[in-house]
Amino acid sequence: TEEFKHVLELQGNVTTKDLLVITPETNGILTHVYVKEGQRVSKGQILAKIDDGGLGQQLSQLKIQADLAKTTYERQKRLWDQKIGSEIQFLQAKSSYESQEKAVNHMQQQIAKTVVKAPFSGTIDDVISEQGNVVAAGQTELMQIVNLNNMYIETEVPERYVSDVVIGKDVVVELPVLGKKIDTKIRQAGDVINPANRTFKVEIEIPNKDK
């Protein structure tokens, strides 16, 4: 006797979840593009800069006002701790200081949106917008970034195999264009049957050490 293994042959698409077209978070002029196509980047690395439209100057003014409000508050607090002055003066100074601090934080968040950073480590596959272009928040495509470390195959399996094709099941992946065979396993099997074609989705992890 010998063991007989039933084999199911399917076709699927090789892809990665780390594939993203980056768009800006704010409107403005693209003043700097710091990367080129094919360049490796790290998560959080600055990729481009958008003109802040004078927000930097506004931030400087807000910081001056916040420093003054802080000094006033600290003086009023010292007086109030010594039971000198009125409570309303102390509360007004405290409220003004907290309000200025919030205004500074809000402006810093707005300015941070003018700096485009890499959402994950990977390679700049395409630089779409050139320096000097006017860009729109959430609409203009700046560049595409991809990470080929976490590749997988997505395929659709007929529902009659729902009890056989499960997480952890052995898979042999053939990549004819590369002349490769890879032994791997199913990492995810869908719980929902597509009513249109009576299939469920499966993800198969692919090691990709040589990129």
Side-chain angles (χ1 to χ4, degrees), residues 1-14:
T1 61
E2 62 178 284
E3 184 180 10
F4 180 78
K5 293 185 178 181
H6 293 271
V7 177
L8 171 63
E9 290 189 359
L10 297 167
Q11 290 187 340
N13 295 316
V14 181

Side-chain angles (χ1 to χ4, degrees), residues 101-161:
E101 282 288 289
K102 288 180 180 178
V104 168
N105 290 336
H106 176 72
M107 187 61 68
Q108 287 174 334
Q109 291 173 7
Q110 293 301 310
I111 292 175
K113 292 180 179 180
T114 67
V115 179
V116 181
K117 296 182 178 181
F120 50 79
S121 297
T123 302
I124 301 300
D125 188 57
D126 188 14
V127 176
I128 303 168
S129 293
E130 296 181 357
Q131 192 168 298
N133 286 358
V134 177
V135 298
Q139 297 181 23
T140 305
E141 296 182 347
L142 299 181
M143 58 193 71
Q144 180 169 276
I145 182 173
V146 61
N147 186 331
L148 298 181
N149 290 333
N150 302 314
M151 304 294 290
Y152 69 97
I153 289 177
E154 185 175 79
T155 188
E156 295 183 341
V157 181
E159 68 174 330
R160 65 178 177 273
Y161 297 105

Side-chain angles (χ1 to χ4, degrees), residues 61-126:
Q61 292 296 320
L62 285 174
K63 284 184 174 181
I64 292 172
Q65 295 171 15
D67 288 341
L68 177 60
K70 180 181 180 181
T71 301
T72 303
Y73 164 66
E74 289 175 345
R75 289 179 178 177
Q76 287 292 337
K77 186 177 186 303
R78 284 197 297 268
L79 291 172
W80 180 243
D81 289 342
Q82 298 171 28
K83 306 301 180 183
I84 300 173
S86 66
E87 183 179 10
I88 190 66
Q89 288 177 315
F90 166 68
L91 293 176
Q92 285 176 340
K94 181 180 179 182
S95 176
S96 177
Y97 169 54
E98 291 175 346
S99 176
Q100 290 295 333
E101 282 288 289
K102 288 180 180 178
V104 168
N105 290 336
H106 176 72
M107 187 61 68
Q108 287 174 334
Q109 291 173 7
Q110 293 301 310
I111 292 175
K113 292 180 179 180
T114 67
V115 179
V116 181
K117 296 182 178 181
F120 50 79
S121 297
T123 302
I124 301 300
D125 188 57
D126 188 14

